[in-house]
Amino acid sequence: MNIQQFYDEGLAHASYAILSEGKVALVDPGRNPRQYYDFAEANNAQIVAVIETHPHADFVSSHLEFHQNEGASIYVSKLVGAEYPHTGFDEGDSFQMGKVSFHSLHTPGHSPDSISILLKDENGKDYALFSGDTLFIGDVGRPDLREKAGNMKAQREELAKMMYHTVQDKLKPLADDVIVYPAHGAGSLCGKNLSDARQSTIGEQRATNWAFGDLDEQTFVSSLLEGQPYIPKYFGYDVDMNKKGAPAYQRSISRVSIWPEGSNIPAGALVIDTREQDKFRAGHIPGAINIMNGGKFETWLGSIVGPEEHFFLVADSAAELEILIFKAAKIGYEQLIKGAVVNPAGMTETESTFDVEAFKANPDAFTIVDIRSADEHKNTPIFEESINIPLHELRERAGEIPADKPVVVHCAGGYRSAAGSSIVSGALKGAEVLDFSEAIKDFQEVVH
């Protein structure tokens, strides 16, 4: 038996290939199937099964593609209501592959249809748990708000109670030496206190994970619900796509319209300009949003741009454009790209440069907008008089910002404020909008 973990840093997403006797089963694969095919080919094996622990909200899975191309069986809970061909895989269900067997545990809490996969070795001994978004290293999955109907507050509490019983009844009884392979690590929005570690054991989690503590149900529920991160706009879209099964990756990528360099983008179109901040400041399409190509590009794209919108993607090289299309495809957003273009015509609008010394001399002369999360703003304040509008809400709420003084936008390190200042600049026509950028780091030790 060989277990291979594949880790996507951008989405903090872990997927797995399990090899036994020339056969491979995948757990929660990402959108691009290539790495899994490469693993199978390198081991002279065939991908025969794909297991989905739940319909993922934060990335698009390639499960349907493996069924269509390889005839692989897709195993998923019947509770999902999956619209693709699948085999129901619920509590008590199992299947054999080579010398190992896979057993489904119903582990609701993150979502009502979540399962965890218990892998047993050739001797029938519990060997590993593929815990999806149920159990993370150091935490458990957030009660997922993906459903569109019903009382959201009541639903969150109901799911949190389910998670309590999942921990008590399904996870705690497992042996200490069972290896834990979660679907996410630190940086994921599917939980709040995830570790950087990529794997653990039940014994280690029993000793260190708060959820395994001796807590009553209400204390557990309150702790789980408190301080969860925001929900990006794209989460519901990805759940729906994963329930249906995504279009084949390479074919969908090839349909993105690449426009000739220097093309004119239609007036009024939504433009996502991914170039470095200094290039954006020097000139860009009026109203463009500057989401730089960084480690969390796909998350911020799906947080700022809604799945009902279409947009143009701008970069300064063809190679960069290709990378960005791949990143957009991880969340299914390649289908929303109306055109991808290198250095389009009409990049006329420029941004003012922020004078830090002028700000220090008279901060009251500026309207300060803090685009960090509400928790960041509350727990690590930087400017008492700042207006807090989190970046993912900024397009909808920029009109709340008074424009009688120059507006300066800050985050924690400079990446988010590039996007934030471009959004505010596009919304407040005629106002002077400045980006604090990395200079904010000099102000974080002192609370004003």
Side-chain angles (χ1 to χ4, degrees):
M1 174 175 54
N2 177 7
I3 298 174
Q4 177 71 44
Q5 183 185 71
F6 302 89
Y7 200 81
D8 181 325
E9 296 282 357
L11 292 169
H13 163 227
S15 55
Y16 302 89
I18 301 92
L19 169 69
S20 179
E21 303 284 286
K23 295 178 179 177
V24 173
L26 304 177
V27 178
D28 295 333
R31 181 73 190 281
N32 185 348
R34 187 68 260 161
Q35 60 189 345
Y36 311 107
Y37 282 130
D38 289 346
F39 174 81
E41 289 165 13
N43 288 282
N44 195 26
Q46 183 184 359
I47 298 168
V48 299
V50 182
I51 309 171
E52 290 288 289
T53 57
H54 63 292
H56 303 280
D58 60 315
F59 71 92
V60 173
S61 171
S62 52
H63 53 272
L64 180 57
E65 193 164 347
F66 289 108
H67 171 75
Q68 292 171 332
N69 293 347
E70 304 294 302
S73 298
I74 306 172
Y75 295 88
V76 66
S77 171
K78 289 174 185 160
L79 296 174
V80 167
E83 297 174 29
Y84 48 81
H86 63 278
T87 300
F89 199 51
D90 290 286
E91 184 79 27
D93 292 337
S94 65
F95 69 91
Q96 188 83 21
M97 186 195 76
K99 291 185 176 179
V100 301
S101 60
F102 298 83
H103 301 255
S104 176
L105 301 178
H106 183 216
T107 52
H110 173 66
S111 63
D113 48 25
S114 288
I115 58 172
S116 297
I117 316 305
L118 189 59
L119 176 69
K120 298 195 177 196
D121 65 18
E122 57 187 281
N123 299 314
K125 183 178 184 297
D126 294 353
Y127 180 79
L129 184 76
F130 298 94
S131 56
D133 287 13
T134 297
L135 176 61
F136 298 131
I137 312 305
D139 203 358
V140 289
R142 66 189 294 173
D144 193 346
L145 307 189
R146 69 183 195 205
E147 306 299 336
K148 298 181 177 70
N151 182 323
M152 203 62 86
K153 184 173 185 295
Q155 185 187 44
R156 292 179 80 224
E157 291 183 358
E158 200 57 44
L159 283 166
K161 288 176 184 177
M162 289 181 186
M163 184 65 84
Y164 176 77
H165 291 287
T166 284
V167 174
Q168 297 295 321
D169 304 337
K170 301 294 173 69
L171 302 181
K172 280 189 174 181
L174 296 172
D176 283 351
D177 62 353
V178 171
I179 303 166
V180 176
Y181 291 113
H184 291 290
S188 168
L189 291 171
C190 293
K192 59 183 176 180
N193 292 312
L194 280 65
S195 165
D196 285 328
R198 301 286 168 83
Q199 68 180 69
S200 183
T201 62
I202 290 291
E204 186 177 46
Q205 291 310 292
R206 201 187 308 281
T208 60
N209 189 323
W210 73 269
F212 281 77
D214 187 19
L215 305 171
D216 61 67
E217 182 180 78
Q218 192 50 55
T219 303
F220 179 95
V221 168
S222 299
S223 298
L224 181 55
L225 294 178
E226 185 182 4
Q228 289 289 357
Y230 75 98
I231 307 275
K233 293 180 171 72
Y234 78 93
F235 270 24
Y237 171 78
D238 277 15
V239 168
D240 290 343
M241 189 177 294
N242 283 321
K243 281 186 176 182
K244 293 180 181 120
Y249 174 76
Q250 206 59 53
R251 191 182 313 137
S252 195
I253 290 280
S254 69
R255 288 178 176 165
V256 174
S257 180
I258 310 292
W259 290 28
E261 183 168 355
S263 293
N264 283 292
I265 291 175
L270 175 58
V271 177
I272 303 301
D273 190 326
T274 66
R275 296 173 303 144
E276 289 297 318
Q277 194 174 28
D278 56 348
K279 293 180 180 179
F280 181 85
R281 280 186 187 147
H284 56 267
I285 300 291
I289 299 174
N290 185 206
I291 310 178
M292 293 185 287
N293 180 17
K296 295 292 179 187
F297 170 80
E298 47 272 57
T299 297
W300 284 114
L301 175 66
S303 299
I304 292 168
V305 177
E308 72 287 350
E309 300 182 281
H310 288 79
F311 60 92
F312 284 83
L313 197 58
V314 169
D316 60 6
S317 74
E320 195 86 352
L321 212 50
E322 185 177 23
I323 290 167
L324 290 155
I325 292 168
F326 290 163
K327 287 186 174 185
K330 290 186 199 175
I331 63 169
Y333 267 37
E334 84 286 356
Q335 297 178 68
L336 308 183
I337 301 172
K338 289 192 79 166
V341 57
V342 172
N343 297 326
M347 295 201 293
T348 55
E349 195 163 289
T350 58
E351 300 290 325
S352 302
T353 302
F354 178 51
D355 185 338
V356 181
E357 296 308 315
F359 177 85
K360 285 179 179 176
N362 188 11
D364 291 339
F366 299 82
T367 296
I368 306 168
V369 180
D370 179 354
I371 61 165
R372 298 175 301 160
S373 71
D375 281 343
E376 286 176 283
H377 176 76
K378 176 184 171 187
N379 297 331
T380 53
I382 301 175
F383 304 108
E384 283 181 7
E385 63 275 24
S386 63
I387 300 167
N388 178 222
I389 306 178
L391 176 55
H392 67 283
E393 301 175 6
L394 198 53
R395 287 178 69 202
E396 293 76 25
R397 296 180 55 195
E400 298 174 19
I401 301 168
D404 54 330
K405 296 187 282 189
V407 176
V408 59
V409 178
H410 81 82
C411 59
Y415 178 82
R416 284 176 285 177
S417 63
S421 58
S422 65
I423 291 169
V424 175
S425 182
L428 304 183
K429 300 294 184 189
E432 184 179 9
V433 180
L434 304 162
D435 179 5
F436 228 116
S437 193
E438 294 184 6
I440 192 63
K441 295 173 183 176
D442 296 335
F443 290 79
Q444 295 193 54
E445 297 304 314
V446 181
V447 177
H448 293 259

